Amino acid sequence: MQLFEAVPEDLFSVLASPNRALYAEALEVLYETYRDHLKIPEQLYYSILRNRMERQLADATFDGEDIDEEELRDISGKARFLIRKLCSRGWFEKERGKTERSFEEYLIVPGYSSRLLELLHQLREDAPQRGYSYVFSTYSALKVAREGDSAYEKMLALYSAYDNTMALIKALKSVYHNIKGFFRMQMEMQDVNDVLAAHFDDFGQRVMEAYIRPLKIRDSVPKYRVPIRQMLGQWLEDDTVLEAMAQAAFQDRRGDTLEACRGDLLEKLYWIQEQYERMESDYLAEIDRQVRRYTRATTQKLEALSNLDRNLGGNLRLLLDGLAAGKGPSDMGFALYCQESLTEKSLWKRKRVPVRPRTHPVEMEEEHVSDEAKAQAAELLQSAYSREAVESYILARMDGATDCTSDDLPLRDDREYVLSLLAALHGSDRDSAYEVERLEGQFAKNGYTLPQLRFVRKE
């Protein structure tokens, strides 16, 4: 579909007219009214428009516009003209009330118009956007769906993960390309305070705090990348789950046929896995490289501005700026002397880095651990993780019962985790007080993972 098959041909003409600032403000008022009200009476929009733009409407002349003389006389007429012009260009439509006695007209905002109004509002808004929930949202949706038994929930989680990944890629591309704008702003600045404010306030809040830092700490791609790919891989390997998800997608009318739904699910599964596989190298690494370039350029800019009046480069810059402005040497406060010959080393000389001499390697002496310290360490290890401690730990979990499973182990710290591992090893010994049976699956609690085990007390 072509663009002007989806939107009216004259839709953007108001933003290209000499009075485009007025129309842009009227569209912003339309967006806020549409955002705050379900039904928009024309009189409500007129009242808000007249109050918000009273000074602008009073100064507007509407040169080149097809405005009537009656409308041009006062603010009310100009506001009515703005409403009529926006309606004729397709930004909204009008409909009358549904009751027979209702003569009030309501504004109807089409779908294309609401999306464009949202875009224009975002371009005007100065608040930094936040983009650090996409990765965690993807991980949470997949984890909840995996732990449940509903194929419909798994299907919804997959589509949600796909949408979040698309939004994350879009945000990363936006960050990468917007860093160029900070380079351009920096080139035009000539004051140290402006450069510092742009770096720590604008760049720091809009890029570092909004995207870079969250992607490395709170919404970390390296942290959640592996679990996300593992959960998606489990669904790819399970034909039963895929069939159930395809059936749920077909019932939800996400495809014309069952095979089309299955193919769409597989395509999204593989695409999300691929994106998280290469996200660090293709996106995060490139953004980090751009950030380093910008930080290095900012440092050099600050150094140049700070030393502008105290080094040869600063004096040369003042000289060239003064000569370009038509000033003479006496106007700039110093005298110029004739230079008969000029070489590449006359004004600047590269600093030579001293060569470090080669020396013999220094031998390091290994610290000697006494036998007494070794004996103390062995004694501590044997007392904390002895066979008696392991059996006492398992029998305490049984609490008088004949058996217990991995679900009964609290695993509150590293010591209990090590004791559970040793219990699985000691269970095969002949003189052990219990036996160990291996069950299907794994057990996870408090960040620790164990195979599913059953500990049975011996008679």
Side-chain angles (χ1 to χ4, degrees):
M1 179 184 293
Q2 299 294 326
L3 174 62
F4 291 103
E5 294 178 3
V7 302
E9 293 186 359
D10 297 332
L11 183 70
F12 303 105
S13 61
V14 295
L15 299 177
S17 69
N19 299 300
R20 54 185 174 272
L22 282 173
Y23 291 116
E25 190 65 28
L27 290 175
E28 176 67 13
V29 175
L30 177 62
Y31 167 77
E32 294 178 0
T33 310
Y34 170 75
R35 180 191 60 189
D36 298 336
H37 300 83
L38 176 62
K39 300 178 66 175
I40 309 176
E42 182 182 1
Q43 186 62 31
L44 173 65
Y45 178 51
Y46 162 76
S47 301
I48 299 175
L49 185 69
R50 190 181 184 281
N51 293 333
R52 280 275 300 272
M53 301 179 59
E54 183 175 2
R55 182 178 296 277
Q56 294 169 277
L57 291 173
D59 298 336
T61 58
F62 290 99
D63 295 334
E65 300 279 2
D66 54 343
I67 184 172
D68 297 336
E69 294 184 2
E70 293 291 334
E71 294 176 325
L72 193 59
R73 288 181 179 178
D74 54 17
I75 295 175
S76 300
K78 295 178 181 179
R80 296 289 183 188
F81 171 75
L82 282 180
I83 296 175
R84 178 166 59 85
K85 191 63 172 288
L86 292 178
C87 181
S88 65
R89 294 300 183 262
W91 285 98
F92 57 84
E93 302 169 358
K94 293 183 182 181
E95 71 170 7
R96 291 195 177 275
K98 299 301 182 182
T99 61
E100 296 181 356
R101 298 183 178 181
S102 176
F103 297 98
E104 190 171 14
E105 290 187 322
Y106 294 87
L107 306 187
I108 303 299
V109 180
Y112 63 83
S113 179
S114 63
R115 295 165 67 180
L116 289 173
L117 290 173
E118 176 74 24
L119 174 62
L120 294 175
H121 175 74
Q122 290 179 358
L123 293 176
R124 291 166 56 103
E125 197 173 27
D126 193 39
Q129 298 180 359
R130 300 289 176 180
Y132 53 78
S133 62
Y134 300 123
V135 183
F136 179 73
S137 298
T138 300
Y139 168 76
S140 300
L142 294 177
K143 182 179 179 181
V144 171
R146 185 192 63 175
E147 295 175 353
D149 298 329
S150 173
Y152 183 75
E153 292 180 359
K154 290 183 173 61
M155 181 270 296
L156 289 182
L158 177 60
Y159 279 101
S160 175
Y162 177 78
D163 293 338
N164 285 327
T165 307
M166 287 282 291
L168 175 61
I169 297 298
K170 179 181 177 181
L172 293 176
K173 289 181 179 179
S174 176
V175 171
Y176 177 81
H177 289 281
N178 285 341
I179 294 178
K180 290 289 186 180
F182 290 99
F183 274 103
R184 184 173 60 254
M185 290 171 53
Q186 184 192 92
M187 292 176 60
E188 299 173 355
M189 295 177 183
Q190 300 299 326
D191 186 80
V192 174
N193 294 328
D194 294 339
V195 177
L196 289 173
H199 180 70
F200 289 103
D201 294 339
D202 297 336
F203 183 78
Q205 294 297 322
R206 297 177 182 276
V207 177
M208 297 302 297
E209 291 296 329
Y211 293 98
I212 306 301
R213 185 180 177 189
L215 283 172
K216 295 180 180 296
I217 301 176
R218 293 187 292 269
D219 201 45
S220 173
V221 172
K223 177 180 179 181
Y224 295 110
R225 178 177 64 87
V226 175
I228 289 174
R229 298 189 72 248
Q230 286 178 347
M231 288 185 283
L232 295 176
Q234 292 175 0
W235 290 354
L236 281 170
E237 296 172 359
D238 196 334
D239 291 335
T240 305
V241 173
L242 284 175
E243 289 295 335
M245 292 171 62
Q247 186 68 36
F250 181 67
Q251 293 176 357
D252 204 35
R253 299 183 181 274
R254 294 182 181 267
D256 296 333
T257 63
L258 187 62
E259 290 299 323
C261 292
R262 179 185 173 90
D264 185 51
L265 291 173
L266 287 173
E267 181 181 353
K268 286 177 169 54
L269 282 167
Y270 283 116
W271 185 82
I272 298 172
Q273 277 204 326
E274 180 185 359
Q275 295 303 317
Y276 274 97
E277 175 66 23
R278 62 189 186 92
M279 191 174 296
E280 291 185 68
S281 58
D282 290 3
Y283 292 94
L284 299 184
E286 290 295 330
I287 292 176
D288 287 342
R289 191 174 294 112
Q290 284 285 76
V291 171
R292 289 194 296 269
R293 289 183 61 239
Y294 172 77
T295 305
R296 183 166 57 250
T298 301
T299 305
Q300 294 174 353
K301 181 84 172 185
L302 290 172
E303 183 179 358
L305 294 177
S306 301
N307 300 329
L308 186 61
D309 297 328
R310 298 196 300 271
N311 58 13
L312 181 61
N315 293 333
L316 181 60
R317 179 173 178 174
L318 289 175
L319 171 62
L320 295 177
D321 289 344
L323 293 177
K327 296 180 180 180
S330 59
D331 298 330
M332 291 181 283
F334 57 87
L336 289 177
Y337 300 97
C338 177
Q339 180 76 17
E340 296 182 355
S341 61
L342 187 66
T343 65
E344 61 180 6
K345 298 182 179 180
S346 297
L347 298 178
W348 176 78
K349 184 177 181 181
R350 184 184 297 275
K351 181 180 179 181
R352 294 181 177 272
V353 180
V355 180
R356 298 179 60 183
R358 291 182 175 273
T359 58
H360 296 288
V362 179
E363 297 183 0
M364 299 183 64
E365 297 181 358
E366 297 184 0
E367 294 187 10
H368 176 71
V369 181
S370 64
D371 296 337
E372 182 181 358
K374 293 180 179 179
Q376 291 178 354
E379 181 181 358
L380 177 62
L381 184 63
Q382 292 175 3
S383 62
Y385 302 104
S386 62
R387 181 182 297 275
E388 291 77 9
V390 173
E391 291 188 354
S392 175
Y393 172 71
I394 296 299
L395 295 177
R397 300 286 78 77
M398 293 182 182
D399 193 19
T402 58
D403 63 349
C404 69
T405 62
S406 299
D407 297 330
D408 300 321
L409 303 180
L411 298 184
R412 291 167 295 194
D413 50 32
D414 292 342
R415 179 179 179 275
E416 292 187 350
Y417 178 63
V418 175
L419 288 175
S420 63
L421 295 178
L422 294 176
L425 296 176
H426 294 340
S428 59
D429 296 345
R430 181 178 303 175
D431 54 348
S432 177
Y434 56 88
E435 295 178 350
V436 179
E437 297 178 7
R438 176 65 184 269
L439 304 178
E440 294 294 333
Q442 288 187 332
F443 165 72
K445 181 185 289 186
N446 297 333
Y448 300 100
T449 303
L450 280 177
Q452 278 287 3
L453 303 173
R454 177 184 288 120
F455 302 93
V456 182
R457 188 194 303 269
K458 291 183 179 179
E459 296 297 337

